[in-house]
Amino acid sequence: MRSLEELRAVIESRPDDFNALYEMTMTYRQEHNYAACFAMSERLIASYDKRPVANEQNRYFEIKRLHSQMMREHLADILGPSSGLLDTRWMPVF
């Protein structure tokens, strides 16, 4: 797996590179950086929806599952200090 600096360089030159976005998302997940992982998964989903990549449908659905898992389990981590403003009655929806 490539380092974050290498991945950032690839994404700067090719913003819709599916493999680089996927690697970066998974790297952030391994580092438990939930906000960055969530943001990268959203970017990856949008990129795939815009231009589907042949033979990458399984990874796409993996990222969709990760995205929904992040919404359910780590919403407070993603929102940071503003998570105190969430009404706890709505948490089961996520």
Side-chain angles (χ1 to χ4, degrees):
M1 199 171 266
R2 297 180 274 190
S3 70
L4 285 175
E5 292 79 29
E6 292 172 337
L7 291 170
R8 283 187 188 107
V10 170
I11 292 172
E12 283 180 15
S13 64
R14 296 186 314 262
D16 290 335
D17 187 335
F18 183 85
N19 290 321
L21 289 170
Y22 178 83
E23 283 184 46
M24 190 169 237
T25 302
M26 294 317 233
T27 301
Y28 283 134
R29 181 181 183 200
Q30 289 173 350
E31 293 178 354
H32 302 285
N33 189 342
Y34 301 119
C37 181
F38 183 78
M40 291 306 297
S41 66
E42 283 200 335
R43 185 172 174 182
L44 181 60
I45 291 167
S47 172
Y48 187 90
D49 288 343
K50 184 178 173 184
R51 286 193 193 102
V53 180
N55 301 325
E56 294 294 350
Q57 190 173 19
N58 288 338
R59 282 184 166 181
Y60 170 71
F61 288 123
E62 177 186 355
I63 294 298
K64 294 272 286 189
R65 282 189 299 275
L66 174 65
H67 185 267
S68 63
Q69 176 188 5
M70 301 283 289
M71 286 288 286
R72 282 191 314 272
E73 297 176 6
H74 302 290
L75 186 61
D77 296 325
I78 292 167
L79 294 176
S82 63
S83 65
L85 300 173
L86 286 176
D87 186 351
T88 56
R89 294 174 293 176
W90 290 98
M91 290 302 284
V93 171
F94 296 109

